[in-house]
């Protein structure tokens, strides 16, 4: 197996992931769909040889002991990849995420203008959500890189692993690889280290969430990635990660520091194998704050629908907008809508 050849093909094909499992050909995921590279089945020995290219000796030792390892590395001086190696069916397998060669700008990603405004806040909490593979990490890297290039700010990232390598611009960037067990302590340390912006690659548990809120209260801008698929789900997930005895306190604190939530989703483009991103946007206003403070999370989507003129947008609004621009088909719009009946009715009106 020639890894350089595989990666070269994957990048040229616009693939997001490469999967290598013994007994099957190398498989790429491109625009959400899997396809094989050639017909030859991979052997277990080939995959273990691959580890000598992408993993250090220490990492190979950890993989042998723990049977699983995730890291990010630059190989052949040109490919930045995230590697997830694991043991299955008495053999090793690996999934490789093909990271973009350079960090795209917010304009290149066609991020909504409100994403930039949320990232320009001096303090508070900004959440970026979406399903796996929706491009959350790329969006976060784009926003952070833009801050570092254009603002005289100190940006500290807390990731596991460090995926995109950010550039020093007018500001300073420190990127810290931290396992989930150490992330809360890393957030506390970043506040003491005088960070203006703290990025958290994953909201894994209540301790990290609690420290992120405390950092926002202390005057930092905290940008974090969450796996929730809607803004109201993101708020609910954060609150419900705490024991019932603390939820009222966290609702109050979160309502004070939460600047906004952006959820993204990739949809297939009409007459194309490509996909485009659509975005749900929740911004802070008094009604949203009160709904969070009082635990009325189920009302958040309705409040967003009422306040479209402020820049808020539900995911169904974003899907409908993409359909109206002829970017996606009617079938895709209905299939991707949370309220399919309402989507059909709204499409008939237009």
């Amino acid at each position: 197996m020639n890894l350089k050849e595989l990666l070269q093909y994957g990048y040229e094909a616009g693939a997001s992931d490469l999967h290598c499992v013994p007994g099957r050909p190398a498989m790429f995921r491109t625009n959400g769909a899997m396809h094989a590279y050639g017909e030859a089945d991979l052997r277990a020995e080939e995959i273990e040889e691959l580890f000598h290219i992408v993993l250090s000796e220490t990492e190979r030792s950890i993989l042998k002991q723990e049977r699983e390892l995730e890291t990010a590395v630059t190989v052949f001086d040109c490919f930045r990849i995230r590697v997830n190696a694991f043991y299955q069916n008495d053999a090793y397998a690996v999934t490789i995420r093909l990271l973009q060669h350079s960090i795209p700008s917010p304009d290149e990603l066609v991020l909504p203008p409100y994403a930039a405004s949320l990232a320009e806040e001096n303090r508070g909490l900004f959440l970026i959500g979406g399903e796996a593979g929706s491009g959350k990490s790329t969006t976060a890297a784009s926003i952070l890189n833009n801050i570092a290039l254009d603002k005289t700010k100190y940006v500290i990232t807390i990731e596991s692993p460090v995926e995109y390598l950010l550039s020093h611009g007018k500001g300073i960037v420190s990127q810290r690889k931290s396992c989930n067990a150490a992330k809360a302590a890393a957030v506390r340390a970043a506040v003491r280290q005088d960070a203006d912006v703290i990025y958290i690659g994953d909201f894994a548990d209540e301790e990290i969430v609690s420290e992120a809120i405390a950092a926002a209260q202390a005057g930092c801008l905290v940008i974090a990635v969450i796996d929730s698929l809607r803004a109201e789900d993101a708020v609910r997930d954060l609150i419900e990660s705490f024991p019932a005895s603390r939820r009222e306190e966290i609702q109050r604190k979160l309502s004070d520091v939460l600047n906004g939530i952006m959820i993204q989703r990739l949809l297939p483009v009409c007459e194309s194998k490509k996909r485009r991103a659509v975005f749900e946007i929740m911004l802070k206003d008094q009604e949203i704050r009160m709904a969070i403070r009082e635990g009325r999370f189920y009302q958040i989507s309705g409040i967003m629908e009422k306040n479209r003129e402020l820049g808020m947008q539900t995911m169904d609004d974003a899907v409908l907008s993409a359909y109206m621009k002829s970017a996606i088909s009617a079938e895709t719009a209905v299939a991707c809508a949370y309220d399919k009946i309402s989507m059909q009715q709204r499409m008939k009106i237009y």
Side-chain angles (χ1 to χ4, degrees), residues 118-128 140 143-144 147 153-158 187-188 190-191 195-203 208-225 238 254 257-261:
L118 288 169
E120 288 175 357
E121 297 277 356
N122 290 321
R123 61 178 295 275
L125 177 63
F126 172 29
L127 301 178
I128 301 171
I143 290 170
L144 291 166
I147 292 172
K153 297 195 179 223
Y154 186 17
V155 179
I156 295 181
T157 75
I158 300 163
V187 175
R188 285 196 297 273
V191 176
D196 296 297
V197 181
I198 301 172
Y199 170 66
I200 305 171
D202 180 33
F203 259 18
I208 296 172
V209 175
S210 185
E211 291 298 338
I213 291 173
Q217 289 177 313
C220 298
L221 174 63
V222 180
I223 300 174
V225 165
L238 291 186
L254 187 62
V257 302
L258 184 60
N259 293 339
I261 301 173

Side-chain angles (χ1 to χ4, degrees), residues 19-93:
H19 299 274
C20 298
V21 177
R24 289 289 290 144
M27 302 284 288
F28 284 98
R29 185 179 297 279
T30 306
N31 295 317
M34 295 274 285
H35 64 92
Y37 178 82
E39 298 180 356
D41 290 343
L42 297 174
R43 295 176 288 109
E45 295 82 4
E46 291 181 286
I47 295 174
E48 292 194 41
E49 289 172 5
L50 177 152
F51 293 154
H52 286 271
I53 299 174
V54 300
L55 301 180
S56 67
E57 183 177 348
T58 300
E59 288 171 331
R60 292 197 300 274
S61 177
I62 294 171
L63 175 60
K64 185 176 181 180
Q65 180 179 356
E66 300 186 2
R67 302 294 181 93
E68 188 167 4
L69 177 78
E70 187 173 38
T71 188
V73 63
T74 300
V75 292
F76 309 117
D77 296 324
C78 56
F79 301 126
R80 184 71 180 172
I81 57 176
R82 188 182 74 200
V83 179
N84 192 309
F86 54 97
Y87 197 75
Q88 53 83 55
N89 293 338
D90 299 321
Y92 287 106

Side-chain angles (χ1 to χ4, degrees), residues 240-295:
E240 292 184 354
S241 69
F242 290 85
S245 60
R246 290 200 62 194
R247 289 178 187 172
E248 187 173 340
E249 168 207 349
I250 298 302
Q251 286 169 195
R252 176 178 52 79
K253 291 181 177 180
L254 187 62
S255 70
D256 289 337
V257 302
L258 184 60
N259 293 339
I261 301 173
M262 182 173 73
I263 308 290
Q264 62 185 66
R265 189 172 183 182
L266 295 176
L267 304 181
V269 176
C270 284
E271 300 179 358
S272 170
K273 293 182 179 180
K274 295 183 178 181
R275 296 185 294 173
R276 68 168 285 164
V278 294
F279 302 91
E280 175 167 292
I281 301 289
M282 189 203 83
L283 304 173
K284 60 182 178 183
D285 78 342
Q286 189 60 30
E287 200 171 358
I288 289 285
R289 288 176 185 267
M290 290 305 299
I292 294 173
R293 183 181 290 264
E294 296 173 4

Side-chain angles (χ1 to χ4, degrees), residues 75 163 174 200 338:
V75 292
E163 295 189 359
S174 295
I200 305 171
Y338 286 101

Side-chain angles (χ1 to χ4, degrees), residues 4-15 28 30 79 98 101:
K4 188 173 184 179
E5 180 181 298
L6 280 172
L7 293 177
Q8 186 69 47
Y9 170 83
Y11 276 103
E12 290 176 356
F28 284 98
T30 306
F79 301 126
L98 280 60
H101 290 297

